[in-house]
């Protein structure tokens, strides 16, 4: 595919996303219908789409679309503005030749953008981020406009981080130790081919953000069983099991855990899935990685920030408090509950904890921890609680 044809394909995919489709689903549908596209073509189209979603408001602004609701943004205008913002001349891509987009007439460069456009964030979220991030507000939201590095977790049950880095470098990947967690490995140049590598097949690493890994390092040791209450695909359960912890996994939607046996077998660890966690307790510790807005991971899933509403955020905070309260009831006296989110909003971190503790004199916070993209990680929040009675 020519560079122009890749841009047209990205416009087509982005148009589907702006009309309500999920980015991954739209990309998959395009790839299935574009058998002529090679792996580099698919990667380039994907990059264009996700770059545009990270910078949707500013891309539309730079393309001459002004400041309009994101649901009204034209994909062609946004892609034009994205290229312009990257210092590229859109006219060299919009040639109308072959499968390239039709030629365009660029408007004059726009003036200074409003704050929400400049930071590529919905206006209603700006005061919430300002309250949560304080002096880091501009820097963090600015970092959220760029793609995140790929980060791996060396499987401590099978290999050391240094040995994994050596093996990755021997395979042609630029692997580096990540300072945030002892098993974290950064692959800044991209991860193309990693998921198909023998290193992955042999269970020597998992894909896991450094912030997510660092959370596991904060947790106390447990001599008894630990429950991953909202296990999902099992990333945190795998990290705990790799350290020798006995881990049980539960999720309100058991289908979300269907890959855990495959991942655990590949990693050489044992994770027991349970449908009724009450019958296996009490537990020494509970990981409550609650469903949340995902605001800390919007570099990786940028369409989510344009779809979150205040109403949905309120629903999430209510369910977060219910999950935390349940976790405290399942842990033994003297045990711990790790309440965590991949969010940087106070409403999802300190808020539900304060709400639950106002009615739970048998629990207290013993430690808090957080990270942001300024730590070269996704944004996470942790409140470690102890059940006192």
């Amino acid at each position: 595919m020519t560079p122009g044809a890749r841009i047209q394909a990205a416009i087509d995919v982005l148009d589907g996303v702006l009309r309500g489709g999920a980015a991954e689903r739209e990309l998959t549908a395009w790839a299935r219908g574009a058998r002529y596209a090679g792996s580099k073509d698919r990667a380039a189209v994907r990059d264009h789409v996700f770059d545009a979603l990270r910078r949707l408001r500013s891309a539309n602004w730079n393309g001459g679309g002004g400041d309009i609701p994101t649901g009204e943004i034209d994909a062609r205008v946004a892609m034009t503005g994205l290229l312009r913002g990257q210092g590229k001349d859109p006219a060299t891509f919009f040639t109308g030749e072959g499968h390239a987009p039709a030629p365009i007439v660029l408007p004059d460069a726009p003036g200074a953008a409003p704050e929400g456009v400049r930071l590529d964030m919905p206006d209603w979220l700006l005061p919430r981020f300002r309250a949560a991030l304080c002096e880091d507000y501009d820097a963090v939201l600015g970092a959220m406009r760029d793609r995140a590095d790929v980060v791996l977790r060396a499987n401590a049950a099978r290999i050391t981080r240094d040995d994994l880095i050596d093996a990755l470098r021997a395979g042609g990947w630029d692997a580096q130790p990540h300072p945030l967690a002892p098993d974290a490995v950064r692959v800044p140049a991209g991860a193309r081919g990693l998921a198909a590598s023998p290193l992955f097949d042999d269970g020597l690493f998992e894909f896991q953000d450094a912030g997510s890994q660092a959370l596991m390092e904060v947790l106390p040791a447990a001599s008894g069983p630990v429950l991953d209450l909202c296990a999902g695909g099992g990333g945190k359960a795998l990290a705990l099991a790799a350290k020798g912890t006995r881990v049980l996994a539960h999720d309100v939607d058991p289908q979300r855990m269907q890959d855990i046996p495959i991942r655990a077998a590949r990693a050489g660890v044992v994770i027991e899935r349970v449908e009724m966690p009450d019958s296996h307790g009490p537990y020494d510790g509970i990981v409550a990685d609650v469903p949340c807005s995902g605001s800390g991971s919007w570099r990786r899933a940028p369409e989510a920030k344009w779809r979150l509403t205040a109403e949905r955020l309120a629903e999430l905070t209510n369910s977060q408090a219910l999950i935390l309260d349940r976790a405290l009831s399942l842990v033994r006296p003297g045990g711990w509950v790790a309440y965590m989110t991949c969010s940087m909003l106070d409403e999802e971190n300190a808020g539900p904890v304060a709400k639950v503790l106002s009615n739970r004199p048998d629990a207290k916070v013993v430690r808090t921890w957080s990270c942001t993209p300024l730590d070269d990680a996704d944004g996470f929040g942790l409140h470690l609680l102890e059940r006192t009675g």
Side-chain angles (χ1 to χ4, degrees):
M1 296 175 68
T2 65
R6 290 173 173 178
I7 290 294
Q8 181 59 59
I11 290 171
D12 293 340
V13 173
L14 181 61
D15 182 64
V17 178
L18 294 177
R19 287 187 284 108
E24 294 290 355
R25 187 166 60 246
E26 294 293 328
L27 282 162
T28 299
W30 166 77
R32 285 175 177 167
R35 300 295 184 183
Y36 53 84
S39 60
K40 291 183 179 179
D41 296 320
R42 293 192 297 272
V45 171
R46 179 187 178 87
D47 287 347
H48 288 319
V49 170
F50 275 85
D51 286 345
L53 287 170
R54 292 185 192 97
R55 299 182 174 228
L56 189 57
R57 288 186 73 180
S58 64
N60 184 67
W61 179 269
N62 289 331
D67 185 14
I68 60 176
T70 54
E72 299 175 11
I73 289 176
D74 181 272
R76 178 179 163 91
V77 173
M79 198 59 63
T80 301
L82 177 70
L83 293 168
R84 198 177 203 178
Q86 293 172 337
K88 301 172 183 176
D89 182 2
T92 63
F93 298 89
F94 287 70
T95 63
E97 299 174 359
H99 296 284
I104 55 169
V105 177
L106 280 177
D108 293 337
E115 183 179 22
V117 172
R118 176 176 62 84
L119 295 173
D120 281 298
M121 193 64 63
D123 290 331
W124 71 273
L125 281 169
L126 295 177
R128 289 170 165 84
F129 276 114
R130 190 178 293 110
L133 299 171
C134 301
E135 67 273 9
D136 291 334
Y137 168 77
D138 259 85
V140 170
L141 293 192
M144 295 284 284
R145 301 171 70 236
D146 297 321
R147 72 182 67 179
D149 284 339
V150 171
V151 180
L152 314 176
R153 175 179 58 80
N155 179 12
R158 289 194 165 170
I159 195 170
T160 67
R161 176 168 73 174
D162 288 346
D163 286 345
L164 176 62
I165 289 174
D166 289 342
L168 289 166
R169 289 175 176 171
W173 289 283
D174 178 19
Q176 306 169 3
H178 195 297
L180 202 59
D183 295 322
V185 177
R186 180 194 299 134
V187 188
R192 190 170 299 160
L194 270 175
S197 71
L199 300 174
F200 183 68
D201 289 341
D202 291 342
L204 302 185
F205 70 84
E206 285 283 345
F207 294 90
Q208 188 174 23
D209 181 75
S212 180
Q213 295 184 50
L215 286 173
M216 299 295 99
E217 300 301 319
V218 178
L219 306 186
S223 56
V226 171
L227 173 68
D228 188 349
L229 184 57
C230 308
K236 293 181 175 62
L238 287 165
L240 283 171
K243 297 180 182 298
T245 303
R246 182 190 169 201
V247 183
L248 287 76
H250 169 76
D251 198 281
V252 67
D253 180 3
Q255 283 297 111
R256 298 184 66 216
M257 299 192 295
Q258 64 181 353
D259 290 339
I260 288 180
I262 298 171
R263 298 178 72 186
R266 186 174 61 229
V269 299
V270 176
I271 297 173
E272 180 183 355
R273 293 178 295 171
V274 297
E275 291 188 13
M276 303 293 292
D278 307 62
S279 62
H280 296 266
Y283 302 91
D284 272 22
I286 294 181
V287 173
D289 183 11
V290 297
C292 68
S293 66
S295 62
S297 60
W298 282 346
R299 294 183 301 170
R300 304 183 192 277
E303 74 265 36
K305 70 177 171 181
W306 308 117
R307 294 178 179 171
L308 182 68
T309 64
E311 292 75 20
R312 176 57 180 158
L313 182 59
E315 292 174 0
L316 286 167
T317 58
N318 286 334
S319 66
Q320 289 157 1
L322 292 173
I323 294 169
L324 174 57
D325 188 64
R326 184 188 185 197
L328 287 168
S329 298
L330 290 172
V331 76
R332 66 168 175 79
W336 52 265
V337 171
Y339 172 85
M340 57 184 69
T341 75
C342 54
S343 172
M344 297 182 290
L345 299 173
D346 289 339
E347 286 158 285
E348 298 187 275
N349 289 309
V353 174
K355 180 178 179 179
V356 170
L357 290 185
S358 67
N359 296 307
R360 296 287 309 230
D362 62 338
K364 64 179 181 180
V365 175
V366 295
R367 184 172 179 182
T368 61
W369 184 90
S370 64
C371 63
T372 75
L374 300 186
D375 300 298
D376 191 22
D378 289 349
F380 286 92
L382 167 71
H383 282 72
L384 185 63
L385 297 90
E386 178 185 345
R387 182 173 174 184
T388 57

